[in-house]
Amino acid sequence: FTQPPSLYFRLWALMNLLFIGDVYASTGRNLVASHLAELQATYAVQLTIVNVENAAGGFGVTPQIAEDFLSMGVDVLTTGNHVWDKREFHEYLERNSRALRPANYPADLPGQGLTILEARNGVACAVMNLQGRAHMVPIDCPFRKADELLGQIPAEVKVRFVDFHAELTSEKVAM
């Protein structure tokens, strides 16, 4: 650099993000509850994302479980195909922008697949949730939906995270 980097660049360059994937039932919830605060402090985590799609007995998530995670310090909840397993969660998706469902499900279903929020260090972050199609129910193309969502994120939002819920490693690598 010929000039000192801006404060924004320094904050963005120091971004520590914690992603915990597929918390499974009470055992997984208890592990997160027992260790999350320590992990966040040890690694100076500015944004925590947890996939909760199997948090309720291995199938789906309930509003109470979602609220428990948020009260622990989780910033965004992502899901996958089991998001629809607990009917009471459907309404929760409509009223909480920090709970995501795969964006490539039909638009008339409850919830959204993209949220933009501010991390603990003041940096704007986008989190999107998509689902693969191999060995899953037929839904919209996740690659086209990713392009569409990326076009909706303001240019100044430099931190962009994708939780891509898929069965095949090859599909994940392609994303």
Side-chain angles (χ1 to χ4, degrees), residues 21 26 28-29 50 74 76 78 84 89 97 116 122 126-127 146 158 166 171:
S26 60
R29 295 193 317 265
V50 176
V74 172
V76 180
T78 60
W84 313 115
F89 194 67
S97 64
I116 298 172
V127 179
K158 303 296 184 196
E171 195 173 25

Side-chain angles (χ1 to χ4, degrees), residues 8-135:
Y8 178 81
F9 177 79
R10 284 183 279 146
L11 290 172
W12 177 69
L14 298 174
M15 185 76 180
N16 284 336
L17 186 145
L18 173 63
F19 175 69
I20 301 172
D22 262 2
V23 172
Y24 188 84
S26 60
T27 302
R29 295 193 317 265
N30 292 337
L31 281 168
V32 172
S34 297
H35 299 287
L36 182 61
E38 179 185 354
L39 287 168
Q40 288 173 322
T42 300
Y43 297 101
V45 172
Q46 286 92 28
L47 186 70
T48 302
I49 303 163
V50 176
N51 183 293
V52 296
E53 79 141 357
N54 291 310
F59 296 100
V61 61
T62 65
Q64 183 58 56
I65 290 171
E67 287 296 316
D68 290 347
F69 278 112
L70 294 173
S71 71
M72 287 179 216
V74 172
D75 300 298
V76 180
L77 306 170
T78 60
T79 59
N81 56 307
H82 291 294
V83 67
W84 313 115
D85 290 357
K86 304 292 185 210
R87 196 156 206 41
E88 64 268 29
F89 194 67
H90 299 186
E91 189 271 328
Y92 186 84
L93 284 168
E94 282 295 321
R95 62 182 166 83
N96 194 323
S97 64
R98 292 168 53 194
L100 301 179
R101 53 98 165 158
N104 53 321
Y105 273 98
D108 61 342
L109 291 175
Q112 59 191 19
L114 171 68
T115 191
I116 298 172
L117 69 160
E118 189 174 293
R120 287 176 191 82
N121 61 352
V123 172
C125 301
V127 179
M128 71 175 76
N129 193 181
L130 295 162
Q131 181 178 303
R133 297 197 295 184
H135 306 297

